Amino acid sequence: MDQKVTEWIDAHKQDLLEDIKALCAIPSVKAAPLEGKPYGEESYKALNLAIDMAAKYGFTTKNYDNYVGTADYDSALPRTLDILAHTDVVPAGEGWTVTEPFNIIEKDGRLYGRGTSDDKGPMLCALYAMRALKESNVPMKKGIRLIMGSDEETGSSDIEHYYAIEPEAEMTFSPDAEFPLINIEKGQFRGIISKKYEESTALPRILSLDAGVAFNAVPQKAVIKFEGLDMDAAKGAMEEIAKACEVEVNVTADQEITIIGESAHASTPENGKNAGLAAMMLASKLDLADSECLEFVKKIPELFPYGVTDGSGIGIKMCDEESHDLTCTLDLYHVDPTGMEFTFDSRVPVMGTKENCQDVAEKNITAAGFDFTTPGMVPPHRVAGDSDFVQTLLGSYEKVTGLKGECLAIGGGTYVHELKNGVAFGAILPDIDTRMHGADEFMDIDNIMIATKVFADAIWELCGDK
Ligand SMILES: [Zn+2]
């Protein structure tokens, strides 16, 4: 890439930071639809500000019904490369200490605020990469389009709307994850385990056990309510579970025990401490009256042993070289005197099939006496790691950063999951946790500059008239 492009980027650092601040100041969290504004007022404002920025910098823009905006580098060139990013953000949440979530500040070489790293910051890095090439008059022979979505965080209905109108480009990258590059997203296999039984009134008994807020998150908290339990006699088992599971176990009311573990995304359950499973183990250890309910409570830790997240308890442990281990976590729990229901979430390597995964799990779960249902398996996403496209992106990354470029496989889904030739590429450098979705989200200013240069080089390599 021409030295003048790099120089242009360095010279426009402050402009880029100001644009990121302005765009991140809009709290574009999805809200109820308004007339012509499918995700509410703030999402509409953020999307249109981004479109206006692109138009101001000389790109041909188009607004797809306020779902998606596009900016074409040069609409006369055959469209070849799409860059897919988003202007919506997750809710602010609590616990911010450095700044208010939508008051973006520069501090210690970072920009702090919601959206700085997911994904408004990276999206504007891509826009500035396009701008740098354009204003440096670098000749292009293929077209580039920045696609700006506004509903990535809650289901990607935005790009569903867009791709119903427009075809997928030959190549797509999305700066909505991390460097180097994600070419494989595991498949997903979710299952619901349930059991109905006759109510037993023998005491002591479980009145209810609840844990989990989402099928794709390891539960942080579980609450068990009892009837007729001697709370003092429960102390020993409580201490035992607290120690064995490294969780907090406390009496929170008469006949009520609360367990606090640690949440984690279902694609990385090994990072969590599953409060729901700890609660099932505690219930199994207490001196409760025999019942069908208790009998089935005790079976759950056998199918989902605490701390084991490879699916071996239900017989689906598997691993392949490209996409690595299957992960599995039981995330939603409800038990009462007449029935129980649980949901697990498993992320399946490319080698997984209905036969070696879904059918095996179903067989083992029903053999234990439970009922089983599943919405079926979501297939994995894979772009060949040795393709010219992927190798070119990795080459640009290596050239600009001096770091080793390699493909990654992840358990989560990204914006490109449904695209045939789409990969996630940047924009966060390796081993940095920018607290996306958490309090004090940030993006390092050096990272912003490096990502912009990597994108400019990649666009040039893929589309330049060399
Ligand atoms: Zn994102």
Side-chain angles (χ1 to χ4, degrees):
M1 182 174 66
D2 207 309
Q3 183 61 29
K4 68 187 175 194
V5 179
T6 311
E7 284 165 8
W8 187 98
I9 294 170
D10 287 329
H12 290 78
K13 175 174 167 178
Q14 216 47 47
D15 291 4
L16 172 52
L17 299 184
E18 292 308 320
D19 277 352
I20 296 174
K21 286 182 197 170
L23 190 57
C24 290
I26 303 173
S28 48
V29 177
K30 184 180 190 172
L34 301 169
E35 173 91 52
K37 301 171 182 173
Y39 310 117
E41 183 65 28
E42 300 296 340
S43 296
Y44 162 83
K45 276 192 204 157
L47 177 64
N48 282 277
L49 177 60
I51 295 172
D52 289 348
M53 283 177 183
K56 186 173 81 184
Y57 301 142
F59 300 109
T60 307
T61 58
K62 187 169 170 185
N63 183 335
Y64 291 78
D65 310 312
N66 291 316
Y67 284 80
V68 163
T70 57
D72 283 312
Y73 184 92
D74 177 349
S75 44
L77 295 172
R79 193 158 68 80
T80 309
L81 175 67
D82 282 352
I83 303 172
L84 179 58
H86 65 90
T87 58
D88 58 308
V89 291
V90 296
E94 285 164 26
W96 289 74
T97 61
V98 180
T99 182
E100 292 297 314
F102 299 103
N103 175 28
I104 315 308
I105 60 159
E106 262 180 77
K107 195 185 173 207
D108 306 328
R110 293 172 165 176
L111 282 188
Y112 279 95
R114 176 63 80 230
T116 50
S117 61
D118 181 15
D119 184 40
K120 292 167 175 170
M123 187 186 83
L124 292 177
C125 291
L127 180 67
Y128 269 68
M130 289 167 65
R131 201 183 154 199
L133 292 161
K134 197 175 184 73
E135 295 191 13
S136 305
N137 295 312
V138 174
M140 290 290 165
K141 64 174 179 202
K142 292 175 178 171
I144 305 118
R145 170 173 287 184
L146 178 64
I147 303 175
M148 299 171 281
S150 58
D151 184 35
E152 189 277 337
E153 298 293 357
T154 52
S156 302
S157 66
D158 51 350
I159 56 169
E160 226 172 89
H161 181 85
Y162 172 81
Y163 285 112
I165 303 166
E166 298 283 2
E168 176 182 342
E170 203 177 298
M171 302 175 280
T172 304
F173 77 75
S174 175
D176 188 26
E178 57 247 50
F179 286 123
L181 182 148
I182 297 161
N183 71 322
I184 293 177
E185 293 161 28
K186 291 181 200 172
Q188 188 181 32
F189 169 44
R190 209 185 324 152
I192 298 158
I193 300 173
S194 61
K195 185 71 192 174
K196 289 270 166 220
Y197 35 76
E198 285 295 313
E199 177 164 1
S200 162
T201 50
L203 300 182
R205 66 171 184 165
I206 298 170
L207 275 189
S208 68
L209 183 157
D210 287 284
V213 291
F215 70 82
N216 62 357
V218 175
Q220 184 251 354
K221 178 177 168 182
V223 179
I224 324 176
K225 293 184 175 156
F226 300 93
E227 187 180 3
L229 182 66
D230 175 349
M231 300 304 281
D232 285 333
K235 285 269 159 16
M238 288 171 61
E239 277 165 25
E240 212 179 304
I241 292 297
K243 202 161 165 233
C245 302
E246 300 176 305
V247 292
E248 277 178 46
V249 184
N250 290 304
V251 172
T252 39
D254 182 38
Q255 302 295 313
E256 182 186 286
I257 296 175
T258 297
I259 298 178
I260 302 292
E262 257 171 61
S263 188
H265 192 265
S267 62
T268 51
E270 64 278 8
N271 296 337
K273 292 193 168 44
N274 195 318
L277 272 182
M280 300 301 284
M281 287 169 67
L282 175 63
S284 307
K285 276 197 182 300
L286 292 170
D287 205 8
L288 300 174
D290 281 337
S291 68
E292 215 182 337
C293 171
L294 186 61
E295 182 193 324
F296 278 90
V297 161
K298 288 179 177 176
K299 288 182 182 189
I300 290 293
E302 290 170 22
L303 295 171
F304 298 90
Y306 189 86
V308 177
T309 55
D310 62 7
S312 51
I314 53 172
I316 58 172
K317 179 182 158 100
M318 64 178 78
C319 177
D320 62 38
E321 209 174 296
E322 248 189 337
S323 42
H324 314 296
D325 292 305
L326 178 144
T327 60
C328 183
T329 167
L330 194 66
D331 291 342
L332 291 175
Y333 300 70
H334 175 75
V335 177
D336 66 43
T338 63
M340 56 179 68
E341 186 173 298
F342 311 93
T343 303
F344 69 82
D345 183 348
S346 174
R347 303 300 164 102
V348 182
V350 172
M351 68 173 286
T353 61
K354 179 176 179 294
E355 289 69 30
N356 69 17
C357 187
Q358 181 180 326
D359 292 354
V360 173
E362 175 157 13
K363 189 174 130 253
N364 289 323
I365 290 162
T366 53
F370 289 99
D371 295 319
F372 178 74
T373 56
T374 172
M377 292 174 67
V378 179
H381 170 77
R382 179 181 176 277
V383 172
D386 57 3
S387 63
D388 283 349
F389 172 44
V390 168
Q391 288 300 315
T392 302
L393 293 177
L394 289 175
S396 294
Y397 170 75
E398 291 192 340
K399 208 186 317 170
V400 173
T401 64
L403 300 169
K404 182 165 169 34
E406 59 187 345
C407 289
L408 306 174
I410 62 164
T414 76
Y415 219 10
V416 299
H417 194 89
E418 303 296 329
L419 300 180
K420 223 166 73 229
N421 198 30
V423 297
F425 184 52
I428 308 305
L429 289 164
D431 305 318
I432 300 171
D433 177 6
T434 64
R435 302 194 280 260
M436 281 185 195
H437 296 202
D440 294 336
E441 177 181 344
F442 68 88
M443 187 154 174
D444 284 311
I445 293 171
D446 285 348
N447 192 152
I448 290 170
M449 300 304 290
I450 290 168
T452 305
K453 290 171 189 173
V454 172
F455 295 153
D457 190 79
I459 294 168
W460 163 246
E461 291 294 338
L462 292 166
C463 303
D465 192 3
K466 288 181 270 179

